[in-house]
Amino acid sequence: DSGLPESIYTDRQRLEQILKNLLSNAFKFTEVGQVTLHVSRASTGKLSLSVIDTGIGVPKAQQEVIFEAFRQADGTTNRKYGGTGLGLSISRDLARLLGGTIGVESEPSKGSRFTLVLPETYDESRIETALPKAYSLSTGSAEVATPRPARVRPVPFADDRTALGPGSRTLLVVEDEPQFAKILYELAHELQYKCVVAQDGEEGLELAQRLLPDAIFLDIMLPDHSGLTVLDQLKEDPATRHIPVHIASSHDYIEKAMRMGAIGYTLKPAKREALKAVFAKFDVRISQKDRRVLIIEDDKLQRESMVKLIEGTDVEITAVALASEALTALKNNAFDCMVMDLTLPDMSGQELLKKMIEQSELGSIPPVIVYTGRSLSRGEEDQLRKYSRSIIIKGAKSPERLLYELNLFLHHAESKLSPERREILKIVRSSEDFFSGRKILVVDDDIRNIYALTAALEQKGAVIVVAKNGKEALARL
Protein backbone atom coordinates (compact mmCIF):
# COMPACT_ATOMS: atom_id res chain seq x y z
CA ASP A 1 0.00 0.00 0.00
CA SER A 2 1.03 3.60 -0.33
CA GLY A 3 2.01 5.66 2.69
CA LEU A 4 4.10 2.94 4.33
CA PRO A 5 7.52 3.59 5.93
CA GLU A 6 10.58 2.94 3.77
CA SER A 7 11.99 0.54 6.36
CA ILE A 8 11.24 -1.17 9.66
CA TYR A 9 13.54 -2.25 12.49
CA THR A 10 13.15 -5.97 13.18
CA ASP A 11 15.03 -9.26 12.95
CA ARG A 12 15.34 -9.84 9.22
CA GLN A 13 16.19 -13.55 9.44
CA ARG A 14 13.16 -14.39 11.61
CA LEU A 15 10.81 -12.19 9.59
CA GLU A 16 11.97 -13.91 6.39
CA GLN A 17 11.50 -17.30 8.04
CA ILE A 18 7.88 -16.49 8.95
CA LEU A 19 7.04 -15.10 5.51
CA LYS A 20 8.74 -17.99 3.69
CA ASN A 21 6.73 -20.45 5.75
CA LEU A 22 3.44 -18.67 5.04
CA LEU A 23 4.27 -18.37 1.33
CA SER A 24 5.43 -21.99 0.98
CA ASN A 25 2.18 -23.15 2.62
CA ALA A 26 0.18 -20.95 0.26
CA PHE A 27 1.94 -22.38 -2.81
CA LYS A 28 1.66 -25.93 -1.49
CA PHE A 29 -2.09 -25.75 -0.87
CA THR A 30 -3.01 -23.69 -3.96
CA GLU A 31 -3.31 -25.70 -7.17
CA VAL A 32 -5.37 -23.14 -9.10
CA GLY A 33 -5.49 -19.34 -8.83
CA GLN A 34 -2.95 -17.06 -7.22
CA VAL A 35 -0.87 -16.23 -4.13
CA THR A 36 -0.55 -12.60 -3.03
CA LEU A 37 1.70 -10.89 -0.48
CA HIS A 38 -0.03 -7.71 0.66
CA VAL A 39 1.66 -5.19 2.99
CA SER A 40 -0.48 -2.51 4.64
CA ARG A 41 -0.70 -0.50 7.85
CA ALA A 42 -2.50 -2.33 10.67
CA SER A 43 -2.53 0.55 13.16
CA THR A 44 -0.23 3.30 14.38
CA GLY A 45 3.27 1.87 14.56
CA LYS A 46 2.27 -1.55 13.24
CA LEU A 47 2.35 -3.16 9.81
CA SER A 48 0.24 -5.95 8.42
CA LEU A 49 1.87 -8.50 6.09
CA SER A 50 -0.79 -10.79 4.62
CA VAL A 51 -0.27 -13.92 2.51
CA ILE A 52 -3.48 -14.51 0.55
CA ASP A 53 -4.19 -17.60 -1.53
CA THR A 54 -7.04 -19.22 -3.45
CA GLY A 55 -6.23 -22.72 -2.21
CA ILE A 56 -8.01 -25.46 -0.24
CA GLY A 57 -8.75 -23.27 2.78
CA VAL A 58 -9.04 -24.24 6.45
CA PRO A 59 -12.34 -25.10 8.19
CA LYS A 60 -13.29 -22.79 11.07
CA ALA A 61 -12.92 -25.57 13.66
CA GLN A 62 -9.32 -26.21 12.57
CA GLN A 63 -8.09 -22.62 12.44
CA GLU A 64 -6.53 -22.70 15.93
CA VAL A 65 -5.44 -26.34 15.76
CA ILE A 66 -3.10 -25.71 12.81
CA PHE A 67 -0.93 -23.45 14.99
CA GLU A 68 -0.21 -26.32 17.41
CA ALA A 69 3.03 -28.26 17.00
CA PHE A 70 2.81 -31.30 14.70
CA ARG A 71 -0.80 -30.52 13.77
CA GLN A 72 -2.25 -29.84 10.32
CA ALA A 73 -5.77 -29.17 9.12
CA ASP A 74 -6.45 -32.90 9.14
CA GLY A 75 -4.63 -36.20 8.88
CA THR A 76 -5.02 -36.42 5.12
CA THR A 77 -3.25 -33.10 4.62
CA ASN A 78 -0.06 -34.56 6.05
CA ARG A 79 -0.20 -37.57 3.75
CA LYS A 80 -1.15 -35.68 0.60
CA TYR A 81 1.02 -32.58 0.99
CA GLY A 82 3.79 -33.64 3.37
CA GLY A 83 5.34 -31.54 6.11
CA THR A 84 5.80 -31.88 9.87
CA GLY A 85 3.10 -29.52 11.13
CA LEU A 86 5.80 -27.47 12.89
CA GLY A 87 5.99 -24.47 10.53
CA LEU A 88 2.98 -22.49 11.74
CA SER A 89 3.69 -23.31 15.37
CA ILE A 90 7.24 -21.99 15.09
CA SER A 91 6.11 -19.01 12.99
CA ARG A 92 3.57 -17.96 15.61
CA ASP A 93 6.18 -18.29 18.38
CA LEU A 94 8.70 -16.27 16.37
CA ALA A 95 6.06 -13.63 15.64
CA ARG A 96 5.49 -13.25 19.39
CA LEU A 97 9.24 -12.90 19.92
CA LEU A 98 9.23 -10.03 17.44
CA GLY A 99 6.34 -8.39 19.29
CA GLY A 100 3.76 -9.42 16.71
CA THR A 101 0.92 -11.83 16.07
CA ILE A 102 -0.25 -14.20 13.33
CA GLY A 103 -3.93 -14.70 12.56
CA VAL A 104 -5.90 -16.52 9.89
CA GLU A 105 -9.13 -15.96 7.98
CA SER A 106 -10.17 -18.81 5.74
CA GLU A 107 -13.03 -20.55 3.99
CA PRO A 108 -12.81 -24.13 2.69
CA SER A 109 -12.34 -24.37 -1.10
CA LYS A 110 -12.05 -20.56 -1.40
CA GLY A 111 -8.67 -19.83 0.14
CA SER A 112 -6.91 -18.40 3.16
CA ARG A 113 -5.44 -15.16 4.43
CA PHE A 114 -2.64 -15.47 6.99
CA THR A 115 -1.74 -12.10 8.48
CA LEU A 116 1.43 -11.21 10.37
CA VAL A 117 1.04 -7.99 12.36
CA LEU A 118 4.43 -6.58 13.32
CA PRO A 119 5.61 -3.39 15.10
CA GLU A 120 7.71 -1.06 12.98
CA THR A 121 10.33 -1.17 15.74
CA TYR A 122 10.75 -4.09 18.11
CA ASP A 123 11.97 -4.08 21.70
CA GLU A 124 15.06 -6.29 21.81
CA SER A 125 14.78 -6.83 25.57
CA ARG A 126 11.61 -8.91 25.17
CA ILE A 127 13.31 -11.29 22.75
CA GLU A 128 15.78 -12.75 25.25
CA THR A 129 13.18 -13.75 27.84
CA ALA A 130 10.73 -15.16 25.31
CA LEU A 131 13.03 -17.67 23.57
CA PRO A 132 13.74 -21.13 25.01
CA LYS A 133 16.28 -20.41 27.72
CA ALA A 134 19.23 -22.15 26.07
CA TYR A 135 19.21 -20.03 22.92
CA SER A 136 20.02 -16.36 22.61
CA LEU A 137 19.03 -14.51 19.46
CA SER A 138 21.72 -11.91 19.80
CA THR A 139 24.71 -14.26 20.26
CA GLY A 140 23.59 -17.82 19.65
CA SER A 141 25.23 -18.64 22.98
CA ALA A 142 23.89 -21.44 25.11
CA GLU A 143 26.33 -21.11 28.00
CA VAL A 144 24.08 -19.11 30.33
CA ALA A 145 20.66 -20.66 31.00
CA THR A 146 18.71 -18.10 32.99
CA PRO A 147 15.20 -19.04 34.14
CA ARG A 148 12.34 -17.21 32.50
CA PRO A 149 10.88 -14.56 34.83
CA ALA A 150 7.25 -14.98 35.82
CA ARG A 151 4.93 -12.94 33.60
CA VAL A 152 1.91 -11.46 35.27
CA ARG A 153 -0.67 -9.84 33.03
CA PRO A 154 -3.13 -7.49 34.71
CA VAL A 155 -6.67 -8.88 34.78
CA PRO A 156 -9.56 -6.57 33.89
CA PHE A 157 -10.93 -6.96 37.45
CA ALA A 158 -9.38 -7.43 40.88
CA ASP A 159 -9.11 -11.05 41.98
CA ASP A 160 -8.35 -12.51 45.42
CA ARG A 161 -4.60 -13.06 45.14
CA THR A 162 -3.91 -10.55 47.93
CA ALA A 163 -6.73 -11.82 50.17
CA LEU A 164 -5.84 -15.50 50.51
CA GLY A 165 -5.66 -16.88 54.01
CA PRO A 166 -5.53 -20.14 55.95
CA GLY A 167 -8.73 -22.15 55.84
CA SER A 168 -10.01 -20.64 52.59
CA ARG A 169 -10.60 -22.81 49.52
CA THR A 170 -8.83 -21.37 46.49
CA LEU A 171 -9.72 -21.78 42.84
CA LEU A 172 -7.19 -20.85 40.14
CA VAL A 173 -8.84 -19.87 36.85
CA VAL A 174 -6.53 -19.92 33.80
CA GLU A 175 -8.65 -18.18 31.18
CA ASP A 176 -7.97 -15.33 28.73
CA GLU A 177 -11.63 -14.44 28.05
CA PRO A 178 -12.40 -11.73 30.66
CA GLN A 179 -16.17 -12.30 30.53
CA PHE A 180 -15.93 -16.04 31.19
CA ALA A 181 -13.24 -15.51 33.85
CA LYS A 182 -15.56 -13.00 35.58
CA ILE A 183 -18.45 -15.51 35.53
CA LEU A 184 -16.24 -18.14 37.18
CA TYR A 185 -14.92 -15.59 39.68
CA GLU A 186 -18.42 -14.57 40.76
CA LEU A 187 -19.61 -18.18 40.92
CA ALA A 188 -16.58 -19.09 43.03
CA HIS A 189 -17.46 -16.35 45.52
CA GLU A 190 -21.07 -17.51 45.59
CA LEU A 191 -19.89 -21.02 46.44
CA GLN A 192 -17.41 -19.90 49.12
CA TYR A 193 -14.17 -20.08 47.14
CA LYS A 194 -11.44 -17.50 46.83
CA CYS A 195 -10.54 -17.03 43.17
CA VAL A 196 -7.29 -16.06 41.43
CA VAL A 197 -7.26 -15.45 37.66
CA ALA A 198 -4.37 -15.99 35.22
CA GLN A 199 -4.70 -14.90 31.60
CA ASP A 200 -2.11 -17.17 30.04
CA GLY A 201 -0.37 -20.48 30.63
CA GLU A 202 2.91 -19.08 31.95
CA GLU A 203 1.19 -17.08 34.66
CA GLY A 204 -1.14 -20.00 35.42
CA LEU A 205 1.79 -22.36 36.03
CA GLU A 206 3.61 -19.78 38.16
CA LEU A 207 0.51 -19.18 40.32
CA ALA A 208 -0.22 -22.91 40.63
CA GLN A 209 3.30 -23.62 41.86
CA ARG A 210 3.34 -20.64 44.23
CA LEU A 211 -0.21 -20.73 45.64
CA LEU A 212 -0.96 -24.51 45.42
CA PRO A 213 -4.71 -23.87 44.94
CA ASP A 214 -7.35 -26.43 45.91
CA ALA A 215 -8.64 -26.68 42.31
CA ILE A 216 -7.88 -25.34 38.81
CA PHE A 217 -10.24 -24.33 36.00
CA LEU A 218 -8.22 -24.37 32.77
CA ASP A 219 -8.95 -23.11 29.25
CA ILE A 220 -7.43 -24.86 26.21
CA MET A 221 -6.93 -21.94 23.81
CA LEU A 222 -4.56 -19.67 25.75
CA PRO A 223 -2.54 -16.89 24.13
CA ASP A 224 0.87 -18.44 24.82
CA HIS A 225 0.37 -22.21 25.26
CA SER A 226 -2.21 -24.89 24.70
CA GLY A 227 -4.05 -25.68 27.93
CA LEU A 228 -3.05 -29.31 27.35
CA THR A 229 0.60 -28.27 27.64
CA VAL A 230 -0.21 -26.53 30.93
CA LEU A 231 -2.09 -29.62 32.15
CA ASP A 232 0.88 -31.82 31.23
CA GLN A 233 3.28 -29.62 33.20
CA LEU A 234 0.94 -29.52 36.21
CA LYS A 235 0.74 -33.32 36.24
CA GLU A 236 4.51 -33.74 35.77
CA ASP A 237 5.27 -31.57 38.82
CA PRO A 238 5.03 -33.58 42.08
CA ALA A 239 3.98 -30.40 43.91
CA THR A 240 0.92 -29.75 41.69
CA ARG A 241 -0.06 -33.10 40.14
CA HIS A 242 -2.60 -33.84 42.92
CA ILE A 243 -4.59 -30.63 42.28
CA PRO A 244 -7.88 -31.45 40.48
CA VAL A 245 -8.01 -29.73 37.08
CA HIS A 246 -11.22 -29.19 35.10
CA ILE A 247 -10.92 -28.17 31.44
CA ALA A 248 -13.24 -25.74 29.62
CA SER A 249 -12.98 -25.11 25.90
CA SER A 250 -14.99 -24.54 22.75
CA HIS A 251 -12.82 -27.25 21.11
CA ASP A 252 -13.22 -30.95 21.78
CA TYR A 253 -10.10 -32.48 23.33
CA ILE A 254 -12.04 -34.47 25.92
CA GLU A 255 -10.34 -37.82 25.40
CA LYS A 256 -6.82 -36.41 25.48
CA ALA A 257 -7.46 -34.22 28.54
CA MET A 258 -8.99 -37.08 30.51
CA ARG A 259 -6.08 -39.36 29.61
CA MET A 260 -3.70 -36.70 30.95
CA GLY A 261 -5.41 -36.59 34.35
CA ALA A 262 -8.14 -33.93 34.13
CA ILE A 263 -11.15 -34.68 36.35
CA GLY A 264 -13.67 -33.30 33.84
CA TYR A 265 -14.27 -31.35 30.63
CA THR A 266 -16.85 -28.71 29.77
CA LEU A 267 -17.55 -27.54 26.22
CA LYS A 268 -18.16 -23.80 25.85
CA PRO A 269 -20.57 -22.09 25.92
CA ALA A 270 -21.36 -23.57 29.33
CA LYS A 271 -24.61 -23.12 31.23
CA ARG A 272 -24.58 -21.97 34.82
CA GLU A 273 -25.85 -25.32 36.12
CA ALA A 274 -23.04 -27.15 34.33
CA LEU A 275 -20.47 -24.85 35.95
CA LYS A 276 -22.06 -25.35 39.37
CA ALA A 277 -21.73 -29.11 38.84
CA VAL A 278 -17.99 -28.61 38.28
CA PHE A 279 -17.72 -26.86 41.65
CA ALA A 280 -19.69 -29.71 43.24
CA LYS A 281 -17.10 -32.14 41.86
CA PHE A 282 -14.31 -29.93 43.24
CA ASP A 283 -16.06 -29.99 46.65
CA VAL A 284 -16.08 -33.79 46.65
CA ARG A 285 -12.40 -33.99 45.68
CA ILE A 286 -11.32 -31.44 48.28
CA SER A 287 -13.35 -32.88 51.16
CA GLN A 288 -12.85 -36.55 50.31
CA LYS A 289 -10.12 -37.93 52.55
CA ASP A 290 -10.22 -41.51 51.29
CA ARG A 291 -9.94 -42.49 47.64
CA ARG A 292 -11.85 -45.53 46.39
CA VAL A 293 -10.25 -48.02 44.00
CA LEU A 294 -11.91 -51.02 42.36
CA ILE A 295 -9.61 -53.91 41.38
CA ILE A 296 -10.90 -56.62 39.02
CA GLU A 297 -8.44 -59.51 38.76
CA ASP A 298 -9.28 -63.22 38.77
CA ASP A 299 -5.80 -64.43 39.79
CA LYS A 300 -5.84 -64.55 43.61
CA LEU A 301 -2.10 -63.99 44.11
CA GLN A 302 -2.01 -61.15 41.59
CA ARG A 303 -5.07 -59.54 43.18
CA GLU A 304 -3.59 -59.74 46.68
CA SER A 305 -0.26 -58.31 45.55
CA MET A 306 -2.04 -55.38 43.87
CA VAL A 307 -4.00 -54.68 47.05
CA LYS A 308 -0.81 -54.76 49.10
CA LEU A 309 0.91 -52.42 46.64
CA ILE A 310 -1.70 -49.65 46.72
CA GLU A 311 -3.27 -50.01 50.17
CA GLY A 312 -2.79 -47.12 52.57
CA THR A 313 -4.58 -45.05 55.14
CA ASP A 314 -6.16 -42.88 52.47
CA VAL A 315 -7.17 -45.61 49.97
CA GLU A 316 -10.26 -47.78 50.28
CA ILE A 317 -9.91 -50.85 48.05
CA THR A 318 -12.58 -53.18 46.71
CA ALA A 319 -11.04 -56.23 45.04
CA VAL A 320 -13.15 -58.72 43.05
CA ALA A 321 -12.45 -61.71 40.81
CA LEU A 322 -15.39 -61.53 38.40
CA ALA A 323 -16.86 -58.91 36.10
CA SER A 324 -20.33 -59.56 37.56
CA GLU A 325 -18.99 -58.72 41.02
CA ALA A 326 -17.48 -55.53 39.62
CA LEU A 327 -20.84 -54.45 38.16
CA THR A 328 -22.49 -54.98 41.55
CA ALA A 329 -19.76 -52.95 43.28
CA LEU A 330 -20.12 -50.12 40.72
CA LYS A 331 -23.88 -50.00 41.36
CA ASN A 332 -23.39 -49.56 45.07
CA ASN A 333 -20.34 -47.28 45.22
CA ALA A 334 -18.61 -44.41 43.44
CA PHE A 335 -14.99 -45.16 42.64
CA ASP A 336 -12.16 -42.76 41.83
CA CYS A 337 -10.29 -45.27 39.71
CA MET A 338 -10.65 -48.80 38.41
CA VAL A 339 -7.88 -51.32 37.67
CA MET A 340 -8.86 -54.28 35.49
CA ASP A 341 -7.49 -57.27 33.67
CA LEU A 342 -8.63 -57.75 30.08
CA THR A 343 -9.38 -61.46 30.39
CA LEU A 344 -11.89 -62.40 33.12
CA PRO A 345 -13.61 -65.79 33.60
CA ASP A 346 -17.17 -64.56 33.04
CA MET A 347 -16.65 -61.91 30.34
CA SER A 348 -13.99 -59.92 28.50
CA GLY A 349 -12.87 -56.44 29.46
CA GLN A 350 -14.71 -55.02 26.44
CA GLU A 351 -17.96 -56.71 27.47
CA LEU A 352 -17.57 -55.43 31.04
CA LEU A 353 -17.15 -51.84 29.85
CA LYS A 354 -20.15 -52.19 27.57
CA LYS A 355 -22.31 -53.41 30.46
CA MET A 356 -21.03 -50.58 32.65
CA ILE A 357 -22.35 -48.11 30.08
CA GLU A 358 -25.67 -49.92 29.90
CA GLN A 359 -26.23 -49.76 33.66
CA SER A 360 -28.43 -46.69 33.87
CA GLU A 361 -27.81 -46.41 37.60
CA LEU A 362 -24.18 -45.54 36.98
CA GLY A 363 -23.03 -41.96 36.76
CA SER A 364 -19.76 -41.20 35.02
CA ILE A 365 -17.40 -44.14 34.57
CA PRO A 366 -14.21 -43.80 36.61
CA PRO A 367 -10.80 -43.74 34.92
CA VAL A 368 -9.83 -47.27 33.89
CA ILE A 369 -6.27 -48.58 34.10
CA VAL A 370 -5.78 -51.80 32.17
CA TYR A 371 -3.15 -53.76 34.08
CA THR A 372 -1.47 -56.08 31.66
CA GLY A 373 2.00 -57.44 31.03
CA ARG A 374 1.87 -56.60 27.33
CA SER A 375 1.42 -53.49 25.26
CA LEU A 376 -2.09 -52.82 24.03
CA SER A 377 -2.42 -52.64 20.27
CA ARG A 378 -4.03 -49.58 18.71
CA GLY A 379 -6.99 -51.75 17.72
CA GLU A 380 -7.47 -52.97 21.29
CA GLU A 381 -7.33 -49.43 22.66
CA ASP A 382 -9.85 -48.22 20.07
CA GLN A 383 -12.12 -51.16 20.85
CA LEU A 384 -12.05 -50.39 24.57
CA ARG A 385 -12.49 -46.65 24.13
CA LYS A 386 -15.50 -46.83 21.87
CA TYR A 387 -17.72 -47.53 24.86
CA SER A 388 -16.98 -44.23 26.59
CA ARG A 389 -14.90 -41.14 25.91
CA SER A 390 -14.23 -40.72 29.62
CA ILE A 391 -12.29 -43.98 29.92
CA ILE A 392 -8.57 -43.69 30.45
CA ILE A 393 -6.65 -46.73 29.31
CA LYS A 394 -3.12 -47.19 30.52
CA GLY A 395 -1.16 -50.35 29.94
CA ALA A 396 0.58 -50.47 33.32
CA LYS A 397 3.26 -53.09 32.71
CA SER A 398 4.77 -53.19 36.20
CA PRO A 399 3.66 -52.71 39.82
CA GLU A 400 5.66 -49.47 40.00
CA ARG A 401 4.01 -48.16 36.86
CA LEU A 402 0.58 -49.07 38.22
CA LEU A 403 1.22 -47.08 41.39
CA TYR A 404 2.41 -44.13 39.29
CA GLU A 405 -0.77 -44.10 37.20
CA LEU A 406 -3.02 -44.56 40.23
CA ASN A 407 -1.35 -41.64 41.95
CA LEU A 408 -2.18 -39.47 38.92
CA PHE A 409 -5.87 -40.36 38.80
CA LEU A 410 -6.40 -40.40 42.57
CA HIS A 411 -4.92 -36.88 42.76
CA HIS A 412 -2.67 -37.72 45.69
CA ALA A 413 -0.29 -35.13 47.09
CA GLU A 414 3.09 -36.83 46.86
CA SER A 415 4.33 -34.97 49.94
CA LYS A 416 1.78 -36.92 52.02
CA LEU A 417 2.74 -40.35 50.70
CA SER A 418 4.91 -42.79 52.60
CA PRO A 419 8.68 -42.67 51.94
CA GLU A 420 8.43 -46.08 50.23
CA ARG A 421 5.76 -44.89 47.80
CA ARG A 422 7.58 -41.65 47.08
CA GLU A 423 10.71 -43.67 46.25
CA ILE A 424 8.73 -45.89 43.83
CA LEU A 425 7.29 -42.83 42.07
CA LYS A 426 10.76 -41.30 41.89
CA ILE A 427 12.11 -44.46 40.21
CA VAL A 428 9.30 -44.48 37.61
CA ARG A 429 9.68 -40.78 36.94
CA SER A 430 13.45 -41.04 36.57
CA SER A 431 13.00 -43.78 33.97
CA GLU A 432 10.70 -41.43 32.04
CA ASP A 433 12.87 -38.36 32.56
CA PHE A 434 15.86 -39.81 30.75
CA PHE A 435 16.82 -36.38 29.42
CA SER A 436 16.53 -34.60 32.78
CA GLY A 437 19.83 -32.89 33.55
CA ARG A 438 21.52 -34.34 30.43
CA LYS A 439 23.61 -31.94 28.38
CA ILE A 440 22.83 -32.21 24.66
CA LEU A 441 24.69 -30.50 21.82
CA VAL A 442 22.43 -29.42 18.95
CA VAL A 443 24.34 -28.65 15.74
CA ASP A 444 22.28 -27.05 12.99
CA ASP A 445 22.45 -23.96 10.78
CA ASP A 446 18.65 -23.69 10.53
CA ILE A 447 17.07 -21.61 13.31
CA ARG A 448 13.80 -23.53 12.88
CA ASN A 449 15.42 -26.82 13.81
CA ILE A 450 17.34 -25.27 16.70
CA TYR A 451 14.22 -23.61 18.02
CA ALA A 452 12.02 -26.72 17.75
CA LEU A 453 14.59 -29.14 19.18
CA THR A 454 15.57 -26.81 22.00
CA ALA A 455 11.99 -26.21 23.06
CA ALA A 456 11.11 -29.92 22.93
CA LEU A 457 14.20 -31.17 24.76
CA GLU A 458 14.10 -28.48 27.44
CA GLN A 459 10.56 -29.56 28.30
CA LYS A 460 12.12 -32.95 29.13
CA GLY A 461 14.64 -31.28 31.44
CA ALA A 462 17.67 -31.35 29.13
CA VAL A 463 20.38 -28.69 29.14
CA ILE A 464 20.94 -27.60 25.54
CA VAL A 465 24.17 -26.33 24.01
CA VAL A 466 23.82 -24.86 20.51
CA ALA A 467 26.32 -24.72 17.65
CA LYS A 468 25.48 -23.28 14.24
CA ASN A 469 28.27 -24.92 12.24
CA GLY A 470 30.90 -27.65 12.45
CA LYS A 471 33.73 -25.47 13.78
CA GLU A 472 31.46 -24.08 16.49
CA ALA A 473 30.42 -27.63 17.40
CA LEU A 474 34.05 -28.69 17.84
CA ALA A 475 34.73 -25.62 19.95
CA ARG A 476 31.69 -26.37 22.15
CA LEU A 477 32.82 -29.99 22.57
Side-chain angles (χ1 to χ4, degrees), residues 272-378:
R272 179 181 171 82
E273 290 309 309
L275 295 177
K276 288 183 77 171
V278 174
F279 279 88
K281 188 180 284 190
F282 283 150
D283 290 343
V284 171
R285 288 286 181 185
I286 294 167
S287 60
Q288 183 183 7
K289 289 186 170 54
D290 290 341
R291 303 289 193 255
R292 287 180 172 175
V293 177
L294 175 62
I295 295 175
I296 314 157
E297 170 61 64
D298 62 311
D299 185 291
K300 187 171 184 289
L301 286 175
Q302 180 85 303
R303 189 168 66 247
E304 288 174 352
S305 68
M306 289 164 68
V307 169
K308 188 173 181 181
L309 174 74
I310 63 180
E311 67 185 354
T313 54
D314 56 351
V315 180
E316 183 182 313
I317 301 171
T318 300
V320 299
L322 301 174
S324 56
E325 295 173 325
L327 290 170
T328 302
L330 285 161
K331 274 186 182 180
N332 299 326
N333 299 283
F335 291 94
D336 297 285
C337 195
M338 184 173 139
V339 183
M340 63 177 284
D341 191 6
L342 285 178
T343 53
L344 298 166
D346 52 345
M347 66 180 76
S348 69
Q350 287 92 330
E351 289 176 299
L352 172 57
L353 293 173
K354 186 176 181 181
K355 286 193 178 293
M356 286 167 61
I357 303 297
E358 292 170 352
Q359 281 190 182
S360 57
E361 300 96 322
L362 291 178
S364 59
I365 293 175
V368 175
I369 297 175
V370 174
Y371 189 53
T372 174
R374 61 183 175 81
S375 296
L376 297 173
S377 70
R378 181 62 182 268

Side-chain angles (χ1 to χ4, degrees), residues 93-130:
D93 285 347
L94 289 177
R96 289 191 182 117
L97 299 178
L98 301 181
T101 59
I102 294 181
V104 59
E105 302 168 54
S106 186
E107 195 173 335
S109 303
K110 292 191 176 179
S112 304
R113 181 188 189 109
F114 285 84
T115 300
L116 168 66
V117 175
L118 209 59
E120 292 180 31
T121 302
Y122 80 1
D123 178 1
E124 292 181 58
S125 64
R126 60 180 282 128
I127 306 301
E128 299 300 325
T129 58

Side-chain angles (χ1 to χ4, degrees), residues 382-401:
D382 291 343
Q383 183 73 13
L384 289 166
R385 271 204 197 93
K386 74 178 185 180
Y387 297 113
S388 174
R389 304 185 68 184
S390 64
I391 291 173
I392 293 94
I393 298 163
K394 294 281 188 178
K397 298 167 194 165
S398 70
E400 295 81 9
R401 183 74 206 177

Side-chain angles (χ1 to χ4, degrees), residues 242-280:
H242 68 283
I243 301 172
V245 180
H246 188 93
I247 304 286
S249 178
S250 53
H251 294 75
D252 186 348
Y253 295 101
I254 294 175
E255 184 180 306
K256 192 168 186 180
M258 298 296 285
R259 279 172 61 85
M260 292 170 68
I263 67 165
Y265 200 105
T266 299
L267 284 169
K268 295 178 182 177
K271 293 183 178 178
R272 179 181 171 82
E273 290 309 309
L275 295 177
K276 288 183 77 171
V278 174
F279 279 88

